[in-house]
Amino acid sequence: MTHVEDELTSQPECWTRAAAEAGRYAEALPAPGERVALVGCGTSYFMAQAAAALREEAGQGETDAFAASEFPHGRDYDRVVALTRSGTTTEVLDLLGRLKGRTRTTAITADPHTPVTTAADDLAVLDFADERSVVQTRFATTALTLLRAHLDLHLDAAVTDARTALTEPLPEGLAECAQFTFLGRGWTVGLAHEAGLKMREAALAWAESYPAMEYRHGPISVTTSGTATWMLGAAPEGLAEQVRSTGGTWIEGRLDPLAELVRAQRLAVAVAASRGLDPDSPRHLTRSVILAP
């Protein structure tokens, strides 16, 4: 078993623990009414997008999400929350350094012995969800579970669905598809982007992601036999039928959207295996991007 396979299968236990510990970090996480920005890089950025949409949908306050390198320094926020598994990513550390003394910051990280622990004002450590693999799986979903639980939006059903996602067979023939598209709505748009990233990182697959209603505005033109379109969450009316009419494969999101992401992680590993690739050693990638001064 690869590291990434081992790590993705542990997600139900990680989510349960994160939800139980959410109260411990209540003071470090955004309070209702605060104007908040969530930031990250790569996978962490997509989890930030999902969490930001969830918080706004919950009526907790204006919440934006940015890649750490694209943070708009002309805007004022009550708190900036950085998601960083390694705690060493250059763009995140540079941003926290610029915000020091000006804006309250929180880092959600897997490693309490890295520079981010002094760069941020507050800290939430999910060391039990740390990973050996370059490709992120359980840390990302556990961090999002922590934020869902902080918003009182975590359900035990999500853990049950994650167990289902780990045991049910993937749809037959899906691993042989030539192209994959992931769709989301609201908070699941970030999950769709992350599912596409997993396919590109682990399996070198042609994978795209969009807000579901945008799919009709151009991207559907490449859908045909040999392509798969996977919906995370509830689909817009009529979209499934329109995709099927192209000859493409439609995958309905039946589980909690975060559990659907677990299914997509499994697909990435399966496609990597079918192509003779090692998902623990993705091409041109490292566990953390550390740039020279």
Short mmCIF file of all heavy atoms in Angstrom, two decimals, residues 238-270:
data_model
loop_
_atom_site.label_atom_id
_atom_site.label_comp_id
_atom_site.label_asym_id
_atom_site.label_seq_id
_atom_site.Cartn_x
_atom_site.Cartn_y
_atom_site.Cartn_z
N GLY A 238 -31.48 19.03 -14.79
CA GLY A 238 -31.29 18.77 -16.20
C GLY A 238 -29.86 18.56 -16.63
O GLY A 238 -29.61 18.12 -17.76
N LEU A 239 -28.88 18.83 -15.74
CA LEU A 239 -27.48 18.76 -16.18
C LEU A 239 -27.06 17.30 -16.41
O LEU A 239 -26.34 17.02 -17.37
CB LEU A 239 -26.57 19.42 -15.14
CG LEU A 239 -25.08 19.49 -15.52
CD1 LEU A 239 -24.89 20.20 -16.86
CD2 LEU A 239 -24.28 20.18 -14.42
N ALA A 240 -27.50 16.40 -15.55
CA ALA A 240 -27.12 14.99 -15.73
C ALA A 240 -27.58 14.48 -17.09
O ALA A 240 -26.82 13.81 -17.80
CB ALA A 240 -27.72 14.14 -14.61
N GLU A 241 -28.82 14.80 -17.44
CA GLU A 241 -29.35 14.33 -18.72
C GLU A 241 -28.60 14.95 -19.89
O GLU A 241 -28.33 14.29 -20.90
CB GLU A 241 -30.84 14.68 -18.83
CG GLU A 241 -31.73 13.91 -17.88
CD GLU A 241 -31.65 14.42 -16.44
OE1 GLU A 241 -31.11 15.53 -16.22
OE2 GLU A 241 -32.11 13.69 -15.54
N GLN A 242 -28.21 16.21 -19.75
CA GLN A 242 -27.48 16.87 -20.83
C GLN A 242 -26.11 16.24 -21.02
O GLN A 242 -25.65 16.04 -22.16
CB GLN A 242 -27.34 18.36 -20.53
CG GLN A 242 -26.81 19.17 -21.70
CD GLN A 242 -26.90 20.67 -21.43
OE1 GLN A 242 -27.41 21.11 -20.41
NE2 GLN A 242 -26.38 21.45 -22.37
N VAL A 243 -25.43 15.89 -19.92
CA VAL A 243 -24.12 15.25 -20.03
C VAL A 243 -24.26 13.86 -20.65
O VAL A 243 -23.49 13.48 -21.54
CB VAL A 243 -23.45 15.16 -18.64
CG1 VAL A 243 -22.22 14.26 -18.70
CG2 VAL A 243 -23.05 16.56 -18.16
N ARG A 244 -25.25 13.11 -20.20
CA ARG A 244 -25.44 11.77 -20.76
C ARG A 244 -25.74 11.82 -22.26
O ARG A 244 -25.33 10.93 -23.01
CB ARG A 244 -26.57 11.06 -20.02
CG ARG A 244 -26.24 10.69 -18.58
CD ARG A 244 -27.30 9.80 -17.98
NE ARG A 244 -27.02 9.52 -16.57
CZ ARG A 244 -27.70 10.05 -15.54
NH1 ARG A 244 -28.70 10.88 -15.79
NH2 ARG A 244 -27.38 9.74 -14.31
N SER A 245 -26.41 12.87 -22.69
CA SER A 245 -26.75 12.97 -24.11
C SER A 245 -25.52 13.17 -24.98
O SER A 245 -25.57 12.94 -26.19
CB SER A 245 -27.74 14.12 -24.34
OG SER A 245 -27.11 15.39 -24.17
N THR A 246 -24.40 13.59 -24.39
CA THR A 246 -23.17 13.75 -25.16
C THR A 246 -22.44 12.42 -25.34
O THR A 246 -21.48 12.34 -26.11
CB THR A 246 -22.20 14.71 -24.44
OG1 THR A 246 -21.72 14.09 -23.24
CG2 THR A 246 -22.88 16.04 -24.11
N GLY A 247 -22.87 11.40 -24.61
CA GLY A 247 -22.16 10.13 -24.60
C GLY A 247 -21.19 9.98 -23.45
O GLY A 247 -20.57 8.93 -23.28
N GLY A 248 -21.05 11.05 -22.66
CA GLY A 248 -20.15 11.00 -21.53
C GLY A 248 -20.75 10.28 -20.34
O GLY A 248 -21.97 10.05 -20.27
N THR A 249 -19.90 9.93 -19.38
CA THR A 249 -20.33 9.26 -18.15
C THR A 249 -20.63 10.30 -17.08
O THR A 249 -19.82 11.19 -16.83
CB THR A 249 -19.23 8.31 -17.64
OG1 THR A 249 -18.97 7.32 -18.62
CG2 THR A 249 -19.63 7.65 -16.34
N TRP A 250 -21.80 10.19 -16.47
CA TRP A 250 -22.21 11.10 -15.39
C TRP A 250 -22.12 10.35 -14.06
O TRP A 250 -22.66 9.26 -13.91
CB TRP A 250 -23.63 11.59 -15.61
CG TRP A 250 -24.19 12.38 -14.46
CD1 TRP A 250 -25.00 11.91 -13.46
CD2 TRP A 250 -23.98 13.77 -14.18
NE1 TRP A 250 -25.30 12.92 -12.58
CE2 TRP A 250 -24.70 14.07 -12.99
CE3 TRP A 250 -23.25 14.78 -14.81
CZ2 TRP A 250 -24.71 15.35 -12.44
CZ3 TRP A 250 -23.27 16.05 -14.27
CH2 TRP A 250 -23.99 16.33 -13.09
N ILE A 251 -21.42 10.94 -13.08
CA ILE A 251 -21.30 10.36 -11.75
C ILE A 251 -22.06 11.26 -10.78
O ILE A 251 -21.69 12.43 -10.58
CB ILE A 251 -19.84 10.23 -11.30
CG1 ILE A 251 -19.02 9.50 -12.35
CG2 ILE A 251 -19.77 9.52 -9.95
CD1 ILE A 251 -19.46 8.09 -12.62
N GLU A 252 -23.12 10.73 -10.21
CA GLU A 252 -23.95 11.49 -9.28
C GLU A 252 -23.30 11.52 -7.90
O GLU A 252 -22.77 10.51 -7.42
CB GLU A 252 -25.33 10.84 -9.16
CG GLU A 252 -26.36 11.69 -8.43
CD GLU A 252 -26.84 12.87 -9.25
OE1 GLU A 252 -26.96 12.74 -10.48
OE2 GLU A 252 -27.10 13.94 -8.64
N GLY A 253 -23.31 12.68 -7.25
CA GLY A 253 -22.82 12.79 -5.89
C GLY A 253 -23.89 12.35 -4.90
O GLY A 253 -24.82 13.11 -4.61
N ARG A 254 -23.77 11.16 -4.37
CA ARG A 254 -24.79 10.60 -3.48
C ARG A 254 -24.45 10.79 -2.00
O ARG A 254 -25.34 10.73 -1.14
CB ARG A 254 -24.95 9.10 -3.75
CG ARG A 254 -25.39 8.75 -5.15
CD ARG A 254 -25.42 7.25 -5.35
NE ARG A 254 -24.08 6.66 -5.32
CZ ARG A 254 -23.55 6.03 -4.28
NH1 ARG A 254 -24.23 5.91 -3.16
NH2 ARG A 254 -22.34 5.51 -4.35
N LEU A 255 -23.20 10.98 -1.68
CA LEU A 255 -22.75 11.05 -0.30
C LEU A 255 -22.53 12.50 0.12
O LEU A 255 -22.65 13.43 -0.69
CB LEU A 255 -21.42 10.27 -0.16
CG LEU A 255 -21.44 8.82 -0.62
CD1 LEU A 255 -20.02 8.24 -0.56
CD2 LEU A 255 -22.40 7.98 0.20
N ASP A 256 -22.22 12.69 1.40
CA ASP A 256 -21.77 14.01 1.85
C ASP A 256 -20.65 14.47 0.92
O ASP A 256 -19.76 13.66 0.58
CB ASP A 256 -21.26 13.91 3.29
CG ASP A 256 -20.75 15.23 3.82
OD1 ASP A 256 -19.56 15.56 3.59
OD2 ASP A 256 -21.54 15.94 4.46
N PRO A 257 -20.66 15.72 0.47
CA PRO A 257 -19.67 16.14 -0.53
C PRO A 257 -18.22 15.89 -0.12
O PRO A 257 -17.38 15.59 -0.97
CB PRO A 257 -19.96 17.64 -0.70
CG PRO A 257 -21.42 17.74 -0.42
CD PRO A 257 -21.68 16.77 0.70
N LEU A 258 -17.91 16.00 1.17
CA LEU A 258 -16.54 15.74 1.58
C LEU A 258 -16.21 14.25 1.43
O LEU A 258 -15.07 13.88 1.10
CB LEU A 258 -16.33 16.19 3.03
CG LEU A 258 -14.88 16.42 3.47
CD1 LEU A 258 -14.16 17.40 2.55
CD2 LEU A 258 -14.82 16.90 4.92
N ALA A 259 -17.20 13.39 1.63
CA ALA A 259 -17.00 11.96 1.39
C ALA A 259 -16.88 11.68 -0.11
O ALA A 259 -16.15 10.77 -0.51
CB ALA A 259 -18.15 11.16 1.99
N GLU A 260 -17.59 12.45 -0.93
CA GLU A 260 -17.42 12.31 -2.38
C GLU A 260 -15.98 12.63 -2.78
O GLU A 260 -15.42 12.01 -3.69
CB GLU A 260 -18.38 13.22 -3.12
CG GLU A 260 -19.82 12.75 -3.14
CD GLU A 260 -20.03 11.49 -3.95
OE1 GLU A 260 -19.31 11.28 -4.96
OE2 GLU A 260 -20.90 10.69 -3.58
N LEU A 261 -15.38 13.60 -2.09
CA LEU A 261 -13.97 13.91 -2.37
C LEU A 261 -13.08 12.71 -2.05
O LEU A 261 -12.11 12.45 -2.76
CB LEU A 261 -13.53 15.13 -1.57
CG LEU A 261 -12.06 15.55 -1.73
CD1 LEU A 261 -11.71 15.83 -3.19
CD2 LEU A 261 -11.75 16.77 -0.85
N VAL A 262 -13.42 11.97 -1.01
CA VAL A 262 -12.67 10.75 -0.69
C VAL A 262 -12.77 9.75 -1.84
O VAL A 262 -11.78 9.10 -2.21
CB VAL A 262 -13.18 10.12 0.62
CG1 VAL A 262 -12.49 8.78 0.89
CG2 VAL A 262 -12.95 11.07 1.80
N ARG A 263 -13.95 9.62 -2.42
CA ARG A 263 -14.10 8.74 -3.59
C ARG A 263 -13.21 9.22 -4.74
O ARG A 263 -12.58 8.41 -5.43
CB ARG A 263 -15.56 8.71 -4.05
CG ARG A 263 -16.53 8.05 -3.12
CD ARG A 263 -17.93 8.09 -3.69
NE ARG A 263 -18.10 7.13 -4.78
CZ ARG A 263 -19.01 7.22 -5.73
NH1 ARG A 263 -19.83 8.26 -5.78
NH2 ARG A 263 -19.11 6.28 -6.65
N ALA A 264 -13.15 10.52 -4.95
CA ALA A 264 -12.30 11.07 -6.01
C ALA A 264 -10.82 10.82 -5.72
O ALA A 264 -10.03 10.56 -6.63
CB ALA A 264 -12.56 12.56 -6.18
N GLN A 265 -10.43 10.88 -4.45
CA GLN A 265 -9.05 10.55 -4.08
C GLN A 265 -8.74 9.10 -4.45
O GLN A 265 -7.67 8.80 -4.97
CB GLN A 265 -8.86 10.76 -2.57
CG GLN A 265 -8.92 12.21 -2.12
CD GLN A 265 -8.97 12.33 -0.60
OE1 GLN A 265 -9.18 11.35 0.10
NE2 GLN A 265 -8.77 13.53 -0.10
N ARG A 266 -9.68 8.21 -4.16
CA ARG A 266 -9.50 6.80 -4.53
C ARG A 266 -9.38 6.63 -6.04
O ARG A 266 -8.58 5.83 -6.53
CB ARG A 266 -10.67 5.98 -4.01
CG ARG A 266 -10.68 5.75 -2.51
CD ARG A 266 -11.83 4.83 -2.14
NE ARG A 266 -11.73 3.55 -2.82
CZ ARG A 266 -12.79 2.81 -3.19
NH1 ARG A 266 -14.02 3.24 -2.97
NH2 ARG A 266 -12.61 1.66 -3.79
N LEU A 267 -10.17 7.41 -6.77
CA LEU A 267 -10.10 7.34 -8.23
C LEU A 267 -8.71 7.76 -8.70
O LEU A 267 -8.14 7.12 -9.60
CB LEU A 267 -11.16 8.23 -8.86
CG LEU A 267 -11.10 8.37 -10.38
CD1 LEU A 267 -11.33 7.03 -11.06
CD2 LEU A 267 -12.11 9.41 -10.87
N ALA A 268 -8.16 8.81 -8.12
CA ALA A 268 -6.84 9.27 -8.53
C ALA A 268 -5.79 8.18 -8.33
O ALA A 268 -4.93 7.95 -9.19
CB ALA A 268 -6.45 10.53 -7.74
N VAL A 269 -5.87 7.48 -7.21
CA VAL A 269 -4.94 6.39 -6.94
C VAL A 269 -5.15 5.24 -7.93
O VAL A 269 -4.19 4.65 -8.44
CB VAL A 269 -5.08 5.89 -5.49
CG1 VAL A 269 -4.26 4.63 -5.26
CG2 VAL A 269 -4.65 6.98 -4.50
N ALA A 270 -6.42 4.93 -8.23
CA ALA A 270 -6.72 3.84 -9.16
C ALA A 270 -6.22 4.16 -10.57
O ALA A 270 -5.66 3.29 -11.26
CB ALA A 270 -8.22 3.59 -9.19
#
